[in-house]
């Protein structure tokens, strides 16, 4: 067995070396910073590489071949998700365990979050403001080095962030909000759930079109085992971490959603068509469900049935010119119809491009909605393939009639400016059945996940990721092995629906 132990130990150290080879200087600096409360400061100062940190963690018994969770947590927090598999973890697995096993304190997380959001310009301003506290030798400090220096001088501690507040007040309201949320969490609130899943900032800059994958952070209320001595957790503090991160999420990185009116939601439901396209049975149920859920979320829902391509364009022009958008927080449009790649059919069986529909609501075309989030959900069954059996065995495939056409991904349909989101339920080139029909699945999954996750404070991208996984699983049972297209978005902030007072409609 001693040979076995040697093998295991060797393999474990080989994995650590592999991880080290994949870390760049910024990663090592971030790891070092996140370990500040766990390892002796003196020893941390001489750290030059990932291996140096692993060595220290092993010496302090935080890391061994049986228990690699702390290292997994650290890699997760610095967003090196691809390295987790070298430790046998996935991002999801780390998230699950964080609330029980997490070791990085909320204070340290808050400082790291700040450092990630401090731009070079801000850093210059901060350095200028603090020049009396900084060493006279002119070295360019990174944000993390600056924070460590302030801690060393006792100007910044877990219980005193006043200096930080004053600096942030001068430099950036967003940074200040991060500090304020941390402070609010330290004020006693009634006991509540210890952990709350909260999404990391995944903000997209204006003009970038992102295809979303969902990152997630669980804030741990686990008491630090700092330097092997258990620090006694201030109870009011640990009960508030949930509140801290929820308010952090809502304020710092979210669209304003507290105006007098939430906004309008259009539902266009095309069920009957003039010539060869089949009736879309079951679509009225979907439209009704959308109406109930978005009404519950505070929107004024308007439903239109069986519109021609010309009527759809006219309707968009009408809504584009609506002065009432001025007092609204957002705009949502849901379209249920037959479709082809990147377009939907009117009742007259003429195609209307999704891009053209969305372009009515750009800042230039609809200034009342400028800088406000505009969400489009399109459920377009592949029209030509609808006349197939109602039930098909998992391994049966209907030949792909639209493969001559280039598939158009959601990101090609979305306008190239900020504040749009497009969620689509088409899986190009695969059949949509009337009963087992992925479109209806998409709308059902969207409505059920909104009802489940909005009350938990989740943002729209996280919700849509869950929707896609849900629909993907159902599609997969048909043996297609096709992915749902990811939502495309140019949102600059998080989109979080305020939690409704009433219970969900279904």
């Amino acid at each position: 067995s001693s040979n076995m132990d040697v093998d295991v130990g060797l393999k474990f150290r080989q994995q650590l070396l592999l991880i080290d080879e994949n870390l760049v200087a910024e990663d090592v600096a971030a790891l070092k910073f996140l370990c500040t409360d766990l390892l002796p400061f003196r020893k941390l100062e001489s750290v030059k590489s990932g291996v140096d940190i692993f060595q220290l963690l092993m010496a302090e018994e935080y890391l061994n071949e049986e228990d690699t969770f702390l290292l997994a947590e650290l890699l997760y927090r610095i967003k090196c998700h691809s390295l987790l598999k070298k430790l046998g973890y996935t991002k999801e697995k780390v998230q699950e365990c964080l609330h029980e096993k997490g070791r990085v304190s909320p204070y340290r997380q808050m400082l790291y979050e700040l450092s990630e959001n401090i731009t070079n310009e801000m850093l210059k301003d901060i350095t200028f403001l603090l020049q009396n506290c900084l060493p006279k030798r002119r070295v360019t400090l990174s944000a993390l080095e600056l924070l460590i220096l302030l801690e060393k001088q006792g100007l910044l501690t877990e219980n005193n962030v006043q200096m930080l507040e004053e600096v942030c007040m001068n430099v950036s309201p967003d940074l200040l909000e991060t500090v304020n949320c941390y402070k609010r969490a330290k004020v006693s609130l009634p006991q509540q759930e210890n952990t709350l899943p909260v999404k990391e900032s995944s903000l997209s800059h204006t003009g970038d079109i992102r295809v979303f994958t969902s990152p997630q952070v669980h804030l741990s209320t686990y008491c630090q085992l700092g330097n092997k001595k258990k620090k006694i957790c201030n109870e009011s503090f640990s009960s508030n971490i949930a509140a801290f991160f929820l308010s952090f999420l809502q304020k710092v990185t979210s669209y304003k959603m507290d105006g007098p009116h939430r906004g309008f939601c259009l539902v266009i439901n095309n069920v009957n068509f003039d010539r060869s396209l089949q009736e879309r049975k079951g679509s009225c149920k979907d439209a009704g469900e959308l109406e109930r859920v978005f009404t519950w979320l505070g929107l004024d829902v308007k439903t239109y049935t069986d519109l021609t391509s010309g009527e759809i364009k006219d309707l968009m022009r009408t809504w584009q010119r609506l002065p009432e958008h001025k007092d609204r927080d957002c705009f949502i449009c849901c379209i249920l119809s037959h479709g082809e790649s990147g377009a939907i059919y009117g009742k007259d069986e003429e195609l209307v491009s999704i891009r053209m529909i969305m372009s009515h609501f750009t800042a230039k075309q609809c200034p009342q909605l400028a800088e406000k989030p505009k969400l489009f959900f399109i459920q377009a069954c592949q029209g030509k393939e609808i006349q197939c059996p109602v039930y098909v065995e998992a391994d049966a495939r209907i030949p792909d009639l639209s493969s001559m056409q280039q598939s158009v991904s959601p990101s090609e349909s979305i306008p190239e400016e900020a504040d749009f989101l497009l969620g689509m339920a088409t899986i190009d080139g695969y059949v949509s059945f009337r009963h087992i029909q992925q479109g209806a699945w998409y709308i059902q999954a969207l409505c059920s996940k909104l009802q489940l996750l909005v009350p938990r404070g989740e943002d729209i991208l996280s919700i849509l990721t869950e929707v896609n996984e849900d629909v993907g699983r159902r599609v997969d049972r048909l043996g297609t092995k096709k992915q749902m297209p990811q939502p495309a978005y140019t949102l600059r902030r998080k989109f979080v629906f305020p939690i409704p007072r009433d219970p969900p409609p279904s």
Side-chain angles (χ1 to χ4, degrees):
S1 104
S2 67
N3 272 1
M4 275 285 288
D5 290 350
V6 170
D7 285 353
V8 172
L10 182 64
K11 196 165 183 328
F12 170 60
R13 284 165 193 270
Q14 284 170 336
Q15 292 305 81
L16 294 183
L17 264 182
L18 277 175
I19 291 171
D20 178 62
E21 282 165 18
N22 284 282
L23 297 173
V24 296
E26 285 85 44
D27 299 329
V28 175
L31 288 174
K32 195 166 150 179
F33 183 78
L34 291 173
C35 289
T36 305
D37 306 320
L38 304 170
L39 297 169
F41 214 89
R42 207 169 27 78
K43 292 185 177 168
L44 266 177
E45 284 200 303
S46 59
V47 161
K48 296 279 182 290
S49 66
V51 165
D52 293 345
I53 295 175
F54 308 153
Q55 222 40 82
L56 289 175
L57 290 172
M58 282 153 78
E60 296 286 326
E61 290 169 32
Y62 282 122
L63 176 64
N64 57 51
E65 48 266 48
E66 275 86 57
D67 183 9
T68 58
F69 185 76
L70 176 61
L71 181 53
E73 179 190 1
L74 293 169
L75 292 172
Y76 170 83
R77 296 213 181 277
I78 66 169
K79 303 186 185 62
C80 286
H81 297 141
S82 61
L83 298 180
L84 291 173
K85 59 176 180 291
K86 300 201 190 303
L87 297 172
Y89 278 96
T90 60
K91 196 170 76 178
E92 292 69 28
K93 185 85 176 75
V94 175
Q95 281 160 202
E96 269 169 43
C97 304
L98 268 184
H99 63 286
E100 278 171 40
K101 296 180 169 180
R103 289 279 178 83
V104 180
S105 72
Y107 165 70
R108 191 63 45 200
Q109 287 180 55
M110 179 271 294
L111 293 183
Y112 181 64
E113 180 80 37
L114 267 186
S115 76
E116 288 284 89
N117 290 310
I118 292 173
T119 62
N120 286 339
E121 284 307 306
M122 290 178 195
L123 192 58
K124 276 186 200 149
D125 294 348
I126 295 171
T127 310
F128 176 74
L129 287 168
L130 292 175
Q131 60 189 10
N132 291 344
C133 315
L134 301 177
K136 291 290 172 272
R137 58 179 194 284
R138 299 301 304 156
V139 280
T140 316
L141 295 170
S142 69
L144 287 178
E145 288 166 336
L146 186 71
L147 291 168
I148 284 177
L149 207 59
L150 294 177
E151 284 192 287
K152 267 187 178 168
Q153 297 182 25
L155 297 170
L156 176 57
T157 67
E158 199 161 348
N159 298 312
N160 181 9
V161 291
Q162 195 185 338
M163 159 82 81
L164 206 51
E165 271 180 291
E166 285 169 18
V167 169
C168 292
M169 209 178 292
N170 286 290
V171 173
S172 153
D174 279 359
L175 295 182
L176 178 64
E177 190 51 42
T178 308
V179 183
N180 281 343
C181 292
Y182 167 74
K183 278 180 64 186
R184 283 199 289 276
K186 291 181 70 92
V187 181
S188 186
L189 283 171
Q191 189 66 35
Q192 53 182 286
E193 275 284 331
N194 277 356
T195 60
L196 197 87
V198 173
K199 303 297 183 194
E200 292 169 351
S201 175
S202 42
L203 302 185
S204 159
H205 299 293
T206 313
D208 281 358
I209 293 171
R210 295 268 188 106
V211 172
F212 185 71
T213 50
S214 160
Q216 193 183 42
V217 181
H218 278 263
L219 247 206
S220 126
T221 59
Y222 191 78
C223 291
Q224 284 293 112
L225 286 164
N227 293 345
K228 312 283 285 298
K229 292 188 288 293
K230 202 169 220 165
K231 293 182 186 166
I232 303 305
C233 269
N234 166 337
E235 258 183 51
S236 67
F237 181 35
S238 69
S239 70
N240 287 316
I241 294 160
F244 152 47
F245 244 56
L246 187 58
S247 61
F248 169 76
L249 167 83
Q250 308 289 23
K251 297 281 187 328
V252 182
T253 58
S254 297
Y255 283 104
K256 187 177 164 310
M257 289 289 279
D258 53 6
H261 305 283
R262 189 77 61 245
F264 292 102
C265 170
L266 310 188
V267 178
I268 298 172
N269 180 25
N270 281 356
V271 182
N272 302 291
F273 297 83
D274 292 345
R275 298 191 294 278
S276 59
L277 289 172
Q278 293 242 331
E279 177 193 347
R280 294 182 55 257
K281 289 180 180 155
S283 189
C284 291
K285 179 176 173 290
D286 294 342
E289 187 70 3
L290 286 169
E291 188 168 335
R292 278 192 296 280
V293 171
F294 282 116
T295 301
W296 170 67
L297 290 171
L299 288 109
D300 300 317
V301 183
K302 313 284 179 203
T303 303
Y304 301 86
T305 309
D306 293 346
L307 299 186
T308 64
S309 57
E311 287 168 337
I312 292 171
K313 291 172 191 170
D314 289 344
L315 187 69
M316 293 304 138
R317 282 193 284 271
T318 305
W319 280 93
Q320 167 192 46
R321 300 193 187 111
L322 199 74
E324 286 88 329
H325 287 310
K326 191 159 86 60
D327 303 323
R328 304 295 193 279
D329 295 328
C330 66
F331 174 71
I332 296 177
C333 176
C334 307
I335 302 178
L336 317 176
S337 186
H338 286 307
E340 294 300 337
S341 273
I344 51 112
Y345 279 109
K347 176 182 162 45
D348 54 351
E349 305 198 3
E350 294 296 323
L351 285 169
V352 185
S353 106
I354 293 166
R355 192 182 178 95
M356 193 275 288
I357 290 171
M358 294 179 77
S359 67
H360 283 84
F361 300 95
T362 57
K364 195 170 169 189
Q365 299 296 330
C366 181
Q368 314 284 19
L369 284 173
E371 297 190 8
K372 296 176 186 178
K374 295 160 278 279
L375 279 54
F376 291 77
F377 298 104
I378 311 282
Q379 189 259 293
C381 319
Q382 300 287 311
K384 295 175 185 155
E385 301 170 356
I386 278 299
Q387 303 87 337
C388 44
V390 167
Y391 180 75
V392 174
E393 288 297 330
D395 56 354
R397 296 260 177 102
I398 278 78
D400 172 6
L401 299 176
S402 61
S403 60
M404 305 352 146
Q405 272 187 308
Q406 245 343 94
S407 293
V408 177
S409 73
S411 53
E412 291 168 65
S413 295
I414 191 169
E416 279 150 9
E417 69 162 70
D419 309 311
F420 279 94
L421 175 139
L422 171 61
M424 281 169 80
T426 49
I427 296 180
D428 273 315
Y430 272 89
V431 294
S432 308
F433 309 112
R434 282 209 301 276
H435 295 259
I436 32 175
Q437 176 209 97
Q438 110 267 4
W441 292 347
Y442 181 74
I443 297 300
Q444 285 159 18
L446 177 65
C447 292
S448 76
K449 295 292 183 193
L450 283 168
Q451 294 177 82
L452 178 70
L453 300 173
V454 165
R456 296 185 192 171
E458 299 272 8
D459 70 301
I460 194 69
L461 293 172
S462 315
I463 293 171
L464 288 179
T465 300
E466 298 253 342
V467 169
N468 274 15
E469 283 170 5
D470 198 44
V471 177
R473 276 194 295 276
R474 298 194 198 191
V475 172
D476 215 30
R477 287 190 202 127
L478 301 175
T480 60
K481 294 281 180 273
K482 275 277 182 170
Q483 288 296 303
M484 287 290 298
Q486 294 291 349
Y489 67 98
T490 56
L491 299 178
R492 292 168 298 124
R493 294 174 166 265
K494 290 204 163 143
F495 181 93
V496 183
F497 282 108
I499 299 171
R501 290 201 184 90
D502 301 326
S506 55

